[in-house]
Amino acid sequence: MTCSPFQDSGRQNISKTTVNMNQLVSEIIRGISGEKIEWAISDLPDIEGDSNTLRQVWVNLISNAVKYSRGCEHPHIEIDSYKESDAVVFFIKDNGVGFDQQYAGKLFKVFQRLHGEDEFEGTGVGLAIVEKIIAKHGGGIRAEAEVNKGATFFIKLPI
Ligand SMILES: Nc1ncnc2c1ncn2[C@@H]1O[C@H](COP(=O)(O)OP(=O)(O)O)[C@@H](O)[C@H]1O
Ligand SMILES: [Mg+2]
C-alpha cells in the first residue's frame, strides 16, 4: 500500500470490483498511531469501484483530517455515508482548523493550499488526486468548512 501523496494515483486506470469501504477505512486508521483522536466510524456500504485508487482517496482525506485537527484540544473525526437516489455520499468530518468556505473550490487544484507550510506541512496535491480518482469513478467531491470549526469532505459515487 502506498501512502505517498506524491504518487499520482489519479493517472492510473481503474478496474472495478466490489470494494469493502469499512475494511479500507479501518485498515488506514489502524495504521495511524500517536494521535489522540476520537474516531466515530459508521458502518459504510460496499461500492463498485477500484480498491487501489479508493484506498488512496481515504488515505489522503484521513491524513488531512488528522493533520488539520492536530492542534485541537479534543480532535474528533467522523466518517459516515448516506444514500441518494442514484449515488452514495461518503463524508469525513473533522473539528480542526477548517478554512474559509469561499475558497473551497480551489482546494482541488494542484498546489493550492490554504494553510502555510510553516503551520502545516504539505505539498497541496492530495486533494487534486482525490478529485481525479472520484471523477474517474463518475462521481464528485465537495467541501464544507468554517474557520476554526472544522471541515467536511463529501465524496459522491454513483451506484
Ligand atoms: N481537513 C481539512 N481541514 C482544513 N483544511 C484542509 C483540510 N483538508 C485540506 N485542507 C486544505 O486544503 C489544502 C489542500 O489539501 P491537500 O491537497 O491535501 O494538500 P496538503 O495537505 O499537502 O496541503 C490544504 O493545504 C489545506 O489548506
Ligand atoms: Mg493533504
Side-chain angles (χ1 to χ4, degrees):
M1 177 178 122
T2 174
C3 294
S4 166
F6 294 98
Q7 185 185 347
D8 189 348
S9 305
R11 277 201 206 133
Q12 289 169 21
N13 287 323
I14 61 167
S15 65
K16 285 193 176 178
T17 56
T18 301
V19 180
N20 183 330
M21 294 295 238
N22 286 321
Q23 197 183 330
L24 279 191
V25 166
S26 64
E27 278 172 11
I28 294 162
I29 290 171
R30 240 182 288 133
I32 296 172
S33 56
E35 304 283 349
K36 47 160 193 173
I37 296 159
E38 188 193 339
W39 297 95
I41 314 296
S42 294
D43 189 36
L44 305 172
D46 291 352
I47 60 122
E48 293 302 308
D50 178 72
S51 65
N52 286 324
T53 54
L54 289 174
R55 178 180 289 111
Q56 190 69 52
V57 164
W58 284 117
V59 165
N60 293 3
L61 292 177
I62 291 169
S63 59
N64 278 347
V66 169
K67 175 164 63 174
Y68 294 103
S69 60
R70 195 167 277 147
C72 226
E73 204 176 336
H74 299 292
H76 180 94
I77 299 174
E78 177 188 353
I79 298 178
D80 202 348
S81 69
Y82 57 88
K83 273 216 162 115
E84 291 187 342
S85 58
D86 54 354
V88 182
V89 180
F90 294 90
F91 64 89
I92 173 164
K93 181 178 169 69
D94 67 61
N95 62 347
V97 291
F99 54 83
D100 186 333
Q101 180 67 27
Q102 68 171 305
Y103 303 118
K106 284 178 68 170
L107 303 177
F108 306 107
K109 298 199 174 86
V110 187
F111 306 134
Q112 296 287 330
R113 307 192 70 221
L114 298 181
H115 299 93
E117 184 68 36
D118 50 338
E119 205 186 351
F120 294 97
E121 82 289 0
T123 54
V125 298
L127 286 178
I129 292 170
V130 168
E131 200 273 334
K132 274 197 218 168
I133 294 169
I134 298 302
K136 275 209 171 154
H137 282 80
I141 180 165
R142 67 184 177 86
E144 274 176 14
E146 226 182 299
V147 175
N148 292 326
K149 289 193 176 164
T152 309
F153 287 82
F154 298 85
I155 52 175
K156 182 170 173 167
L157 290 166
I159 44 174

